[in-house]
Amino acid sequence: MLRDIYSERQLEAVMTDFWLNHFNVYIKKNQNEPFLLPAYERDVIRPHALGRFEDLLVATAKSPAMLMYLDNWQSIGPDSMAARNGGRLAKFAQNPQVKQALKDRGLNENYARELMELHTLGVQCEVSADRPVSMLDKACGRGYTQQDVTGVAEVLTGWTIDQPARSGTYRFEERRHEPGTKTVLGKKIGEGGEAEGLEVLHMLATSPATARFISMKLAVRFVSDTPPPALVDRMAKAFVASWGDMKTVLRTMFDSPEFWSPEVRRAKVKTPEEFVVSAVRASGAEVTTAIPLYQALEKLGMPLYGMQTPNGYSWMAEPWANSGDLVNRLNFAVSLSNDRIGGVETDWARLLGAQGSAQGLVATGDSAAAKEKKLEVALLGQAVSDRTRETVLAQFQDQTTQQQAEKSFGIRANEQEPMAQVLNISSPKQKVRPPLDREAAGMAGLLLGSPEFQRR
C-alpha cells in the first residue's frame, strides 16, 4: 500500500495490483501464507508486471504462495513412486491420522482448474452439457474439458515446495510426478518431468483464448465495465503478435480512440483500494504507518489479500456502488481530511499554498468559495458539478457529519499497533492533532467523498 501511495511509477503500481488480483492468493489460507505473500508480490508479480505474460505465468506457477494456496504442492501422481510408497507406509503408521493422510495422498486438480478457468483460457472456453463446442467463442477453438483439467494436473505433479515450514522455496520432485504420456487440449505431452509443465504453460500462455481473456480483463480494468469489442479485438491481436508482451498490449489500448472517448471518461467506479490510495495521494498526506489504512480497507469491504476465492475482487461497479458502501467512503474521506486516521497526517494549508502559489494566490486569506474551488483542482484535477459544490459549501462546517464519520471510521493512532507500547515503553503515545485549516479539512472530506471522486 505504501508503494501505491508514494510510487512515481504509477502504471507499474497499477499493473502490479491488477496481476495480484488476477493471480489471487488468500492470506488466511493457513498460517504459512502471510509469510509467503511478501515475496510473492516483490519477487513474482512486480518484476513481471509489465513483461511477457508467459514469464509471469511460469513465475506464479512456481511460487510457493500459489502452490500452497491452490494445493498443488501436495499433488501426487496416482502412479508415481511417492504414491506407491505412501500406500506401503500407511500399513506401518501407528497414528490413525497419519495413516489416513498417507492413504489419501493423490492428484489435486485445484490449481489445474483455476489455471485454465481464471488465469489463462477463461471459464467461457469450458465445454459442458450446457455449453457445447458449437457455442464457444472462435478464440476458444474446441475449448477444454474436465479431461484436460485432469491432464494438466498430472503434468504439474511434482511441482512442490521444499520444506514449506522452513525455507519455502520451489522445487520439482520427480518421485511425485505422474509418469507416462498425457494429453492436454488434444496434444500429446511426452514424458519429460518438469519440462512437461513448462510445455503446457507455454501452450496456455500463447493461446488466442488467453489473449482475448486477458485483453478483456485489462479493458474492463482501464476503460469500461462493458468495453467496446473492437478495442478488445485489437488488444488480443497485439497480445498474440507480441507473444504476450504487456507493454505492447497496453500501448495498443492507450493508443486506441476508444480509450480516449468521452463516453468512457470517468466511467469506472473505483474499488475501495483505488479509492483509499487515490484519496491519500491526492491529499498529499504523510503516512507514517499503513496499518490504519489496511484496517480502513477491511471496513470498506476489500481487505488486502482478503479474497478467499481464487477469482479475485471484481473490477466492475456493481459490488462497490451501493448506498451503504458510498456512505462508508464518505466517512473515511471526512476522517482522513480531519486527521482522524492514525498514522496519516494532512496539511491543507501546504496543499492550498502550493496550488495557490502557481496562481499567485495566498491560501490563508481565501474566502470559503475560493478555497473550495482550489481544492477541486488540487484533489480532482477538474471542477465538480454545481450540485456537489453547493453541498460542500453548505455542509463543510457541519459537526454532525464529522462526528458521524469519526464514530464509524475514526482509527486512532494508538489503535494501529497494539504491541508498540509493549515493545518500546519509552515512546510517547502519538496524539491525533487537529487539522491546521478546519475549513479546508471540512471541504476536502466532502470533495473526496463526492460522486465525482468515486470515478476514474
Short mmCIF file of all heavy atoms in Angstrom, two decimals, residues 301-341:
data_model
loop_
_atom_site.label_atom_id
_atom_site.label_comp_id
_atom_site.label_asym_id
_atom_site.label_seq_id
_atom_site.Cartn_x
_atom_site.Cartn_y
_atom_site.Cartn_z
N GLY A 301 -14.68 -3.18 2.86
CA GLY A 301 -15.06 -4.43 2.21
C GLY A 301 -14.06 -5.01 1.23
O GLY A 301 -14.41 -5.92 0.47
N MET A 302 -12.81 -4.51 1.26
CA MET A 302 -11.81 -5.03 0.33
C MET A 302 -10.46 -5.19 1.04
O MET A 302 -9.49 -4.53 0.69
CB MET A 302 -11.66 -4.10 -0.87
CG MET A 302 -10.86 -4.69 -2.03
SD MET A 302 -10.72 -3.48 -3.39
CE MET A 302 -9.79 -4.44 -4.60
N PRO A 303 -10.38 -6.08 2.02
CA PRO A 303 -9.10 -6.26 2.72
C PRO A 303 -8.02 -6.76 1.78
O PRO A 303 -8.28 -7.55 0.88
CB PRO A 303 -9.43 -7.30 3.80
CG PRO A 303 -10.66 -7.99 3.29
CD PRO A 303 -11.43 -6.97 2.52
N LEU A 304 -6.80 -6.27 2.00
CA LEU A 304 -5.68 -6.70 1.17
C LEU A 304 -5.47 -8.21 1.30
O LEU A 304 -5.46 -8.74 2.41
CB LEU A 304 -4.40 -5.97 1.57
CG LEU A 304 -4.30 -4.50 1.19
CD1 LEU A 304 -3.02 -3.90 1.76
CD2 LEU A 304 -4.35 -4.31 -0.32
N TYR A 305 -5.33 -8.89 0.18
CA TYR A 305 -5.16 -10.34 0.14
C TYR A 305 -6.31 -11.05 0.84
O TYR A 305 -6.15 -12.17 1.35
CB TYR A 305 -3.84 -10.76 0.80
CG TYR A 305 -2.62 -10.09 0.24
CD1 TYR A 305 -1.86 -9.21 1.02
CD2 TYR A 305 -2.21 -10.31 -1.06
CE1 TYR A 305 -0.74 -8.58 0.50
CE2 TYR A 305 -1.10 -9.69 -1.58
CZ TYR A 305 -0.36 -8.82 -0.79
OH TYR A 305 0.74 -8.19 -1.30
N GLY A 306 -7.49 -10.41 0.88
CA GLY A 306 -8.59 -10.94 1.66
C GLY A 306 -9.68 -11.62 0.87
O GLY A 306 -10.72 -11.99 1.44
N MET A 307 -9.49 -11.82 -0.43
CA MET A 307 -10.48 -12.51 -1.24
C MET A 307 -10.24 -14.01 -1.13
O MET A 307 -9.22 -14.53 -1.58
CB MET A 307 -10.41 -12.06 -2.70
CG MET A 307 -11.52 -12.62 -3.56
SD MET A 307 -13.14 -12.04 -3.01
CE MET A 307 -14.17 -12.64 -4.34
N GLN A 308 -11.19 -14.71 -0.52
CA GLN A 308 -10.97 -16.12 -0.23
C GLN A 308 -10.97 -16.98 -1.49
O GLN A 308 -10.18 -17.92 -1.60
CB GLN A 308 -12.04 -16.63 0.74
CG GLN A 308 -11.82 -18.05 1.20
CD GLN A 308 -12.78 -18.44 2.31
OE1 GLN A 308 -13.61 -17.64 2.75
NE2 GLN A 308 -12.68 -19.67 2.79
N THR A 309 -11.84 -16.66 -2.44
CA THR A 309 -11.92 -17.46 -3.66
C THR A 309 -10.88 -17.00 -4.67
O THR A 309 -10.48 -15.82 -4.68
CB THR A 309 -13.33 -17.36 -4.28
OG1 THR A 309 -13.66 -15.98 -4.46
CG2 THR A 309 -14.35 -18.00 -3.37
N PRO A 310 -10.42 -17.89 -5.55
CA PRO A 310 -9.30 -17.55 -6.45
C PRO A 310 -9.63 -16.59 -7.58
O PRO A 310 -8.73 -16.16 -8.29
CB PRO A 310 -8.88 -18.92 -7.02
CG PRO A 310 -10.06 -19.79 -6.86
CD PRO A 310 -10.77 -19.32 -5.63
N ASN A 311 -10.90 -16.21 -7.74
CA ASN A 311 -11.25 -15.30 -8.84
C ASN A 311 -10.88 -13.85 -8.57
O ASN A 311 -10.91 -13.02 -9.47
CB ASN A 311 -12.75 -15.39 -9.14
CG ASN A 311 -13.61 -15.15 -7.91
OD1 ASN A 311 -13.38 -15.75 -6.87
ND2 ASN A 311 -14.59 -14.29 -8.02
N GLY A 312 -10.51 -13.50 -7.33
CA GLY A 312 -10.10 -12.14 -7.02
C GLY A 312 -11.29 -11.19 -6.93
O GLY A 312 -12.44 -11.57 -7.16
N TYR A 313 -11.00 -9.94 -6.59
CA TYR A 313 -12.05 -8.93 -6.48
C TYR A 313 -12.53 -8.50 -7.86
O TYR A 313 -11.78 -8.55 -8.84
CB TYR A 313 -11.54 -7.72 -5.72
CG TYR A 313 -11.28 -7.96 -4.25
CD1 TYR A 313 -9.98 -7.97 -3.75
CD2 TYR A 313 -12.33 -8.17 -3.37
CE1 TYR A 313 -9.73 -8.19 -2.40
CE2 TYR A 313 -12.08 -8.40 -2.01
CZ TYR A 313 -10.80 -8.41 -1.54
OH TYR A 313 -10.56 -8.63 -0.20
N SER A 314 -13.76 -8.02 -7.92
CA SER A 314 -14.34 -7.58 -9.19
C SER A 314 -13.86 -6.17 -9.55
O SER A 314 -13.72 -5.31 -8.68
CB SER A 314 -15.87 -7.59 -9.10
OG SER A 314 -16.44 -7.04 -10.27
N TRP A 315 -13.64 -5.95 -10.86
CA TRP A 315 -13.33 -4.60 -11.36
C TRP A 315 -14.60 -3.88 -11.79
O TRP A 315 -14.55 -2.73 -12.23
CB TRP A 315 -12.37 -4.69 -12.55
CG TRP A 315 -11.02 -5.24 -12.23
CD1 TRP A 315 -10.47 -6.40 -12.70
CD2 TRP A 315 -10.03 -4.68 -11.37
NE1 TRP A 315 -9.21 -6.59 -12.18
CE2 TRP A 315 -8.92 -5.55 -11.35
CE3 TRP A 315 -9.98 -3.52 -10.59
CZ2 TRP A 315 -7.76 -5.29 -10.61
CZ3 TRP A 315 -8.84 -3.27 -9.84
CH2 TRP A 315 -7.74 -4.14 -9.86
N MET A 316 -15.73 -4.54 -11.68
CA MET A 316 -17.00 -3.93 -12.08
C MET A 316 -17.51 -2.98 -10.99
O MET A 316 -17.10 -3.07 -9.82
CB MET A 316 -18.05 -5.01 -12.34
CG MET A 316 -17.66 -6.04 -13.38
SD MET A 316 -17.73 -5.38 -15.06
CE MET A 316 -17.72 -6.89 -16.02
N ALA A 317 -18.46 -2.13 -11.35
CA ALA A 317 -19.00 -1.15 -10.40
C ALA A 317 -19.97 -1.79 -9.42
O ALA A 317 -20.04 -1.38 -8.26
CB ALA A 317 -19.70 -0.03 -11.17
N GLU A 318 -20.70 -2.80 -9.86
CA GLU A 318 -21.83 -3.33 -9.11
C GLU A 318 -21.51 -3.70 -7.65
O GLU A 318 -22.27 -3.35 -6.74
CB GLU A 318 -22.42 -4.54 -9.86
CG GLU A 318 -23.74 -5.04 -9.31
CD GLU A 318 -23.55 -6.08 -8.22
OE1 GLU A 318 -22.52 -6.77 -8.26
OE2 GLU A 318 -24.41 -6.17 -7.34
N PRO A 319 -20.39 -4.37 -7.35
CA PRO A 319 -20.15 -4.75 -5.95
C PRO A 319 -19.79 -3.56 -5.05
O PRO A 319 -19.87 -3.67 -3.84
CB PRO A 319 -18.94 -5.71 -6.05
CG PRO A 319 -18.86 -6.11 -7.48
CD PRO A 319 -19.38 -4.95 -8.25
N TRP A 320 -19.41 -2.42 -5.64
CA TRP A 320 -18.86 -1.32 -4.83
C TRP A 320 -19.73 -0.06 -4.82
O TRP A 320 -19.36 0.92 -4.19
CB TRP A 320 -17.47 -0.93 -5.36
CG TRP A 320 -16.57 -2.09 -5.64
CD1 TRP A 320 -16.08 -2.46 -6.85
CD2 TRP A 320 -16.05 -3.04 -4.70
NE1 TRP A 320 -15.28 -3.58 -6.73
CE2 TRP A 320 -15.24 -3.95 -5.42
CE3 TRP A 320 -16.18 -3.20 -3.32
CZ2 TRP A 320 -14.58 -5.02 -4.81
CZ3 TRP A 320 -15.52 -4.26 -2.71
CH2 TRP A 320 -14.73 -5.14 -3.45
N ALA A 321 -20.84 -0.07 -5.53
CA ALA A 321 -21.57 1.19 -5.75
C ALA A 321 -22.90 1.26 -5.01
O ALA A 321 -23.73 2.10 -5.34
CB ALA A 321 -21.80 1.40 -7.24
N ASN A 322 -23.13 0.43 -4.00
CA ASN A 322 -24.40 0.54 -3.28
C ASN A 322 -24.32 1.67 -2.25
O ASN A 322 -23.24 2.16 -1.91
CB ASN A 322 -24.75 -0.79 -2.59
CG ASN A 322 -23.74 -1.19 -1.53
OD1 ASN A 322 -23.66 -0.58 -0.47
ND2 ASN A 322 -22.96 -2.23 -1.83
N SER A 323 -25.45 2.11 -1.77
CA SER A 323 -25.52 3.31 -0.93
C SER A 323 -24.73 3.15 0.37
O SER A 323 -24.09 4.10 0.84
CB SER A 323 -26.98 3.64 -0.62
OG SER A 323 -27.63 2.54 0.02
N GLY A 324 -24.77 1.96 0.98
CA GLY A 324 -24.03 1.75 2.22
C GLY A 324 -22.53 1.91 2.03
O GLY A 324 -21.85 2.51 2.86
N ASP A 325 -22.01 1.37 0.93
CA ASP A 325 -20.57 1.48 0.65
C ASP A 325 -20.17 2.94 0.41
O ASP A 325 -19.11 3.38 0.84
CB ASP A 325 -20.21 0.65 -0.59
CG ASP A 325 -20.28 -0.85 -0.32
OD1 ASP A 325 -20.16 -1.23 0.85
OD2 ASP A 325 -20.47 -1.61 -1.27
N LEU A 326 -21.02 3.70 -0.27
CA LEU A 326 -20.70 5.10 -0.56
C LEU A 326 -20.71 5.94 0.71
O LEU A 326 -19.92 6.86 0.86
CB LEU A 326 -21.68 5.65 -1.59
CG LEU A 326 -21.61 4.99 -2.97
CD1 LEU A 326 -22.65 5.58 -3.91
CD2 LEU A 326 -20.21 5.13 -3.58
N VAL A 327 -21.61 5.62 1.65
CA VAL A 327 -21.60 6.31 2.94
C VAL A 327 -20.31 6.00 3.69
O VAL A 327 -19.70 6.89 4.30
CB VAL A 327 -22.83 5.89 3.78
CG1 VAL A 327 -22.70 6.40 5.23
CG2 VAL A 327 -24.11 6.44 3.16
N ASN A 328 -19.86 4.75 3.64
CA ASN A 328 -18.60 4.38 4.30
C ASN A 328 -17.43 5.14 3.68
O ASN A 328 -16.50 5.56 4.39
CB ASN A 328 -18.36 2.88 4.18
CG ASN A 328 -19.14 2.09 5.20
OD1 ASN A 328 -19.53 2.61 6.24
ND2 ASN A 328 -19.40 0.82 4.91
N ARG A 329 -17.45 5.32 2.37
CA ARG A 329 -16.37 6.06 1.71
C ARG A 329 -16.37 7.52 2.17
O ARG A 329 -15.30 8.10 2.39
CB ARG A 329 -16.53 5.98 0.20
CG ARG A 329 -16.30 4.59 -0.37
CD ARG A 329 -16.28 4.62 -1.89
NE ARG A 329 -16.18 3.29 -2.47
CZ ARG A 329 -15.64 3.01 -3.64
NH1 ARG A 329 -15.16 4.00 -4.38
NH2 ARG A 329 -15.58 1.78 -4.10
N LEU A 330 -17.56 8.11 2.28
CA LEU A 330 -17.64 9.49 2.76
C LEU A 330 -17.10 9.60 4.18
O LEU A 330 -16.35 10.53 4.49
CB LEU A 330 -19.09 9.98 2.69
CG LEU A 330 -19.35 11.38 3.25
CD1 LEU A 330 -18.54 12.43 2.48
CD2 LEU A 330 -20.83 11.71 3.22
N ASN A 331 -17.45 8.65 5.02
CA ASN A 331 -16.95 8.67 6.40
C ASN A 331 -15.43 8.54 6.43
O ASN A 331 -14.76 9.21 7.22
CB ASN A 331 -17.59 7.54 7.20
CG ASN A 331 -19.05 7.82 7.53
OD1 ASN A 331 -19.47 8.97 7.62
ND2 ASN A 331 -19.83 6.76 7.70
N PHE A 332 -14.88 7.68 5.57
CA PHE A 332 -13.42 7.56 5.50
C PHE A 332 -12.80 8.88 5.05
O PHE A 332 -11.81 9.36 5.62
CB PHE A 332 -13.00 6.46 4.54
CG PHE A 332 -11.52 6.47 4.23
CD1 PHE A 332 -10.61 5.91 5.11
CD2 PHE A 332 -11.03 7.09 3.08
CE1 PHE A 332 -9.24 5.95 4.84
CE2 PHE A 332 -9.68 7.13 2.81
CZ PHE A 332 -8.77 6.55 3.69
N ALA A 333 -13.37 9.49 4.00
CA ALA A 333 -12.82 10.73 3.45
C ALA A 333 -12.83 11.85 4.48
O ALA A 333 -11.85 12.59 4.63
CB ALA A 333 -13.62 11.15 2.21
N VAL A 334 -13.93 11.98 5.23
CA VAL A 334 -14.02 13.03 6.26
C VAL A 334 -13.04 12.74 7.39
O VAL A 334 -12.38 13.66 7.91
CB VAL A 334 -15.46 13.13 6.79
CG1 VAL A 334 -15.55 14.07 7.99
CG2 VAL A 334 -16.40 13.62 5.68
N SER A 335 -12.90 11.48 7.77
CA SER A 335 -11.93 11.11 8.81
C SER A 335 -10.51 11.39 8.35
O SER A 335 -9.68 11.90 9.12
CB SER A 335 -12.09 9.63 9.18
OG SER A 335 -13.35 9.37 9.73
N LEU A 336 -10.20 11.06 7.10
CA LEU A 336 -8.87 11.32 6.55
C LEU A 336 -8.57 12.81 6.54
O LEU A 336 -7.51 13.25 6.99
CB LEU A 336 -8.77 10.76 5.14
CG LEU A 336 -7.52 11.12 4.33
CD1 LEU A 336 -6.30 10.45 4.93
CD2 LEU A 336 -7.69 10.73 2.86
N SER A 337 -9.50 13.62 6.05
CA SER A 337 -9.24 15.05 5.90
C SER A 337 -9.12 15.75 7.24
O SER A 337 -8.46 16.78 7.35
CB SER A 337 -10.36 15.70 5.07
OG SER A 337 -11.58 15.68 5.77
N ASN A 338 -9.74 15.19 8.28
CA ASN A 338 -9.68 15.78 9.62
C ASN A 338 -8.63 15.11 10.50
O ASN A 338 -8.64 15.28 11.72
CB ASN A 338 -11.05 15.69 10.29
CG ASN A 338 -12.02 16.72 9.75
OD1 ASN A 338 -12.01 17.88 10.15
ND2 ASN A 338 -12.86 16.30 8.80
N ASP A 339 -7.73 14.35 9.88
CA ASP A 339 -6.64 13.68 10.60
C ASP A 339 -7.14 12.77 11.71
O ASP A 339 -6.58 12.73 12.81
CB ASP A 339 -5.66 14.72 11.18
CG ASP A 339 -4.82 15.37 10.11
OD1 ASP A 339 -4.90 14.92 8.95
OD2 ASP A 339 -4.09 16.32 10.41
N ARG A 340 -8.18 12.00 11.40
CA ARG A 340 -8.69 11.03 12.36
C ARG A 340 -8.35 9.60 11.95
O ARG A 340 -8.90 8.66 12.50
CB ARG A 340 -10.22 11.19 12.50
CG ARG A 340 -10.63 12.52 13.14
CD ARG A 340 -10.03 12.65 14.55
NE ARG A 340 -10.52 13.80 15.26
CZ ARG A 340 -9.88 14.96 15.36
NH1 ARG A 340 -8.70 15.11 14.77
NH2 ARG A 340 -10.38 15.96 16.05
N ILE A 341 -7.46 9.46 11.00
CA ILE A 341 -6.90 8.16 10.64
C ILE A 341 -5.48 8.14 11.19
O ILE A 341 -4.60 8.87 10.72
CB ILE A 341 -6.87 7.94 9.11
CG1 ILE A 341 -8.28 8.10 8.51
CG2 ILE A 341 -6.30 6.56 8.79
CD1 ILE A 341 -9.27 7.05 8.91
#
